[in-house]
Amino acid sequence: MHLEEKINSAAYAAVETLYGEQMPADRLTVEPTRDNFEGDLTITAFKLARIAQKAPPIIAGELGEYLKEHVAEIAGYNVVKGFLNLTISDRYWLEVFARMRQAGNYGSAPSSGEVRMVEYASPNTNKPLHVGHARNIFLGHSMARILEANGHEVKKVQIINDRGVHICMSMLAWERWGNGETPASSGLKGDKLVGNYYVKFNREYTRQTQLVLEKFEAGNYGRLNEEQTTKAKALQALIRNDEKSAKDKNSAAAALKDLAKTQTDIIGEAQAMLRKWETNDPEVRRLWEMMNRWVYEGFDATYRAMGVDFDTIYYESETYLRGKEEVLKGLEKGVFYQKEDRSVWADLTEDGLDHKLVLRGDGTAVYMTQDIGTAILRFEENPGLMQQIYTVGNEQEYHFKVLFLILEKLGYKMARNNYHLSYGMVELPTGKMKSREGKVADADDLMEEVKEAAASITGTSGVIDEIPEADHEEIFRKIGMGALKYFLLKVDPVKGMMFDPAASVELVGHTGPFIQYSAARIRSILRKYEEKSELKPAENYHGEVNASARELIILLEQFPAIIRESGEKYTPSTLANYAFYVAKQYNRFNNDNHVLHAEIPELGAFRAGLCQLTLEVLTKSLYLLGIEVPERM
RNA sequence: GCCCCCGUAGUUCAAUGGAUAGAAUAGAAGUUUCCUAAACUUUAGAUCCAGGUUCGAUUCCUGGCGGGGGCACCA
């Protein structure tokens, strides 16, 4: 039994004995004492004031006296206002320490027998990966590992958005301006090459849109039908009306621009290409397969560099038809309804949501259609799957709320457990990223930059000279990735974040490399300890535990709870911050507790044991964040 | 217009309703005859505003203000 529980039940008994009253089960809490107060554990007595009919400080004193007598581990106590601070005996902390060391796989929970799925990455195939994807990928990958540590069996998946008009944009541009360029001929990574054509397409698209807008301005509405023309004129009037707010004007301008876009030749050609794709036109399909293959090869290289992988990859081109089937089945069952124009809708007004289109009037799939198909396929393919976790940006919150509800209505009760691991946008100091304009922090470039930063800093330290040249590259990579991953994972996912490239390659302060460095130093100490010492780590020590060692032990004891919390809240950031506190506390301990020059051998052994345990916790924490620890750095 | 999320030191981030709101960085001042100074120590600096609930509110509720996002037969 944990000491907290033991103290808790003793406190209940105390209240009954002292005040003759039973109290509700959740009335008392035993928590770690704040740093700046003396003591290890704290009970708040304010809540007992009514029951005891006394002032909180008096209650705290009486409670403290009782607990000190009845709980052997309590060595003393002090009272500040209504707070009862308990000091726990060194012997107890040494027992805790021994227990942690003996636990196999310390921190992890036993198997839950549950299967969960985490989806992440899920890029479009027409643009290279940027820092926003990096946040997504690191989050999902880390979450998968954290759930595993919580005892679940985890399947890592991604869905690749490989069909639709946006793919045709790159294809069309390549056909028109590519001159047969290939990754081999140009030396470009496949995803970069395809991305270039997406940018080229959009450049032309923007140009043509501008021309259409100019025609609108001149009163020439071209192919617009009567309804559209009326709408366009109304928007133009609104934009010219000086009584309207700037915000209204901007949105009117955006609406007019959208209208103009539909009138460009180039988008018409892209849509024609999509129709050919849907009817399996061999030439279009060949081009599509070739360009997609280039992209996949490029993505795979990026994933390898990131150190992430997947158990299963789904392609929308293979699941969207399944989605259509499911929608039609749902229509038969009465889950959906059909409008006159044959479009199919879900009525979610009973659940406080809106009406939602699930199939177009012409029978083609929308985003929702595909997601329904994919989700159902996954439940079928994975018997026992009890949860699907989608790592997707927070702009999709409404979409997933609707998706989960629809799945439930279709009879997939497990969808109730589904979770949208939503995260805020990554912003650059220079402003928003726009992939259509090619203004992004490219993921491959970033990884290269952090590696170079790691190399230049590490190169100046003396340690690197003792390491064989051949291993340098690998060490720089680990450090660079540690910096980048930690930078993106330490922030609570729900928050939008500022990505400052200069800060992300920083190796000091609240960073991944700081933690890695602490671990590397422990390794170095332990190597030397094992050479020199006759005692095994932690052997035969029963003496005092000084303040910095005690605080370290208390922190390490929280590890299993932190893993649990991180999993329950779906936030690697909790774990990331914890790892930093551990490293920080270790460094304090390290500063005034010598291992190799200890006062007596047993004390050295104790400290070496504490080093070992700290290393274990740090290494595992970083592992759960997807970060590796170099042997030396 | 309706809906969702976020507002904490100069900046980037923390804080199950608890005590004197933590870090990092930038600023000031220190610590290497001793295990990796990518470290450690000291110092200065913040809860958007107004109400409410509570013994106690950064946290919960209401209303403002500021920032982001969503309300498509786009994905």
mmCIF file of all heavy atoms in Angstrom, chain A residues 41 132-133 201 224 234 261 405 517-518 575 606:
data_model
loop_
_atom_site.group_PDB
_atom_site.id
_atom_site.type_symbol
_atom_site.label_atom_id
_atom_site.label_comp_id
_atom_site.label_asym_id
_atom_site.label_seq_id
_atom_site.Cartn_x
_atom_site.Cartn_y
_atom_site.Cartn_z
ATOM 1 N N LEU A 41 4.842 15.499 2.931
ATOM 2 C CA LEU A 41 3.456 15.342 2.504
ATOM 3 C C LEU A 41 2.581 16.326 3.266
ATOM 4 O O LEU A 41 2.862 16.654 4.410
ATOM 5 C CB LEU A 41 2.979 13.905 2.769
ATOM 6 C CG LEU A 41 3.666 12.810 1.958
ATOM 7 C CD1 LEU A 41 3.240 11.435 2.442
ATOM 8 C CD2 LEU A 41 3.360 12.953 0.473
ATOM 9 N N GLY A 132 4.358 22.085 -38.884
ATOM 10 C CA GLY A 132 3.043 21.709 -38.370
ATOM 11 C C GLY A 132 2.858 20.199 -38.382
ATOM 12 O O GLY A 132 2.362 19.595 -37.433
ATOM 13 N N HIS A 133 3.290 19.557 -39.488
ATOM 14 C CA HIS A 133 3.255 18.100 -39.558
ATOM 15 C C HIS A 133 4.150 17.502 -38.479
ATOM 16 O O HIS A 133 3.836 16.476 -37.897
ATOM 17 C CB HIS A 133 3.734 17.593 -40.918
ATOM 18 C CG HIS A 133 2.821 17.957 -42.046
ATOM 19 N ND1 HIS A 133 3.134 18.941 -42.946
ATOM 20 C CD2 HIS A 133 1.610 17.475 -42.421
ATOM 21 C CE1 HIS A 133 2.149 19.044 -43.830
ATOM 22 N NE2 HIS A 133 1.211 18.173 -43.533
ATOM 23 N N PHE A 201 1.264 25.409 -59.868
ATOM 24 C CA PHE A 201 -0.159 25.438 -60.206
ATOM 25 C C PHE A 201 -0.814 26.654 -59.565
ATOM 26 O O PHE A 201 -1.534 27.407 -60.219
ATOM 27 C CB PHE A 201 -0.869 24.173 -59.715
ATOM 28 C CG PHE A 201 -2.357 24.191 -59.974
ATOM 29 C CD1 PHE A 201 -2.887 23.621 -61.112
ATOM 30 C CD2 PHE A 201 -3.220 24.805 -59.075
ATOM 31 C CE1 PHE A 201 -4.256 23.657 -61.357
ATOM 32 C CE2 PHE A 201 -4.592 24.856 -59.309
ATOM 33 C CZ PHE A 201 -5.113 24.284 -60.456
ATOM 34 N N LEU A 224 -20.714 33.140 -65.641
ATOM 35 C CA LEU A 224 -21.534 33.060 -64.436
ATOM 36 C C LEU A 224 -23.011 32.995 -64.789
ATOM 37 O O LEU A 224 -23.458 33.703 -65.693
ATOM 38 C CB LEU A 224 -21.310 34.298 -63.553
ATOM 39 C CG LEU A 224 -19.987 34.434 -62.804
ATOM 40 C CD1 LEU A 224 -20.055 35.647 -61.881
ATOM 41 C CD2 LEU A 224 -19.680 33.195 -61.993
ATOM 42 N N ALA A 234 -23.713 41.838 -55.745
ATOM 43 C CA ALA A 234 -23.997 42.203 -54.352
ATOM 44 C C ALA A 234 -22.707 42.316 -53.555
ATOM 45 O O ALA A 234 -22.517 43.239 -52.759
ATOM 46 C CB ALA A 234 -24.925 41.165 -53.727
ATOM 47 N N LYS A 261 -12.389 32.169 -58.625
ATOM 48 C CA LYS A 261 -11.563 30.968 -58.788
ATOM 49 C C LYS A 261 -12.276 29.902 -59.606
ATOM 50 O O LYS A 261 -11.667 29.228 -60.437
ATOM 51 C CB LYS A 261 -11.223 30.387 -57.408
ATOM 52 C CG LYS A 261 -10.059 31.066 -56.722
ATOM 53 C CD LYS A 261 -9.849 30.413 -55.361
ATOM 54 C CE LYS A 261 -8.467 30.712 -54.819
ATOM 55 N NZ LYS A 261 -8.243 30.005 -53.540
ATOM 56 N N LEU A 405 -20.246 10.878 -33.741
ATOM 57 C CA LEU A 405 -21.681 10.768 -33.521
ATOM 58 C C LEU A 405 -22.333 9.919 -34.614
ATOM 59 O O LEU A 405 -23.153 9.038 -34.341
ATOM 60 C CB LEU A 405 -22.290 12.175 -33.500
ATOM 61 C CG LEU A 405 -23.727 12.300 -33.046
ATOM 62 C CD1 LEU A 405 -23.907 11.708 -31.666
ATOM 63 C CD2 LEU A 405 -24.138 13.778 -33.050
ATOM 64 N N TYR A 517 21.850 15.533 -21.842
ATOM 65 C CA TYR A 517 23.170 15.793 -21.276
ATOM 66 C C TYR A 517 23.268 15.279 -19.838
ATOM 67 O O TYR A 517 24.263 14.670 -19.449
ATOM 68 C CB TYR A 517 23.441 17.300 -21.335
ATOM 69 C CG TYR A 517 24.766 17.712 -20.756
ATOM 70 C CD1 TYR A 517 25.958 17.366 -21.388
ATOM 71 C CD2 TYR A 517 24.826 18.445 -19.578
ATOM 72 C CE1 TYR A 517 27.177 17.747 -20.857
ATOM 73 C CE2 TYR A 517 26.040 18.834 -19.045
ATOM 74 C CZ TYR A 517 27.223 18.480 -19.677
ATOM 75 O OH TYR A 517 28.424 18.858 -19.155
ATOM 76 N N SER A 518 22.208 15.517 -19.078
ATOM 77 C CA SER A 518 22.185 15.018 -17.704
ATOM 78 C C SER A 518 22.322 13.500 -17.691
ATOM 79 O O SER A 518 23.053 12.932 -16.882
ATOM 80 C CB SER A 518 20.880 15.418 -17.011
ATOM 81 O OG SER A 518 20.699 16.808 -17.079
ATOM 82 N N LEU A 575 4.585 14.698 -19.335
ATOM 83 C CA LEU A 575 5.765 13.859 -19.190
ATOM 84 C C LEU A 575 7.037 14.639 -19.530
ATOM 85 O O LEU A 575 8.064 14.512 -18.854
ATOM 86 C CB LEU A 575 5.624 12.650 -20.116
ATOM 87 C CG LEU A 575 6.672 11.570 -20.000
ATOM 88 C CD1 LEU A 575 6.596 10.889 -18.651
ATOM 89 C CD2 LEU A 575 6.482 10.550 -21.116
ATOM 90 N N PHE A 606 25.099 4.100 -2.456
ATOM 91 C CA PHE A 606 23.730 4.639 -2.439
ATOM 92 C C PHE A 606 23.546 5.664 -3.556
ATOM 93 O O PHE A 606 22.582 5.624 -4.322
ATOM 94 C CB PHE A 606 23.460 5.281 -1.074
ATOM 95 C CG PHE A 606 22.247 6.164 -1.047
ATOM 96 C CD1 PHE A 606 20.982 5.623 -1.229
ATOM 97 C CD2 PHE A 606 22.365 7.537 -0.839
ATOM 98 C CE1 PHE A 606 19.859 6.440 -1.200
ATOM 99 C CE2 PHE A 606 21.247 8.359 -0.813
ATOM 100 C CZ PHE A 606 19.993 7.811 -0.995
#
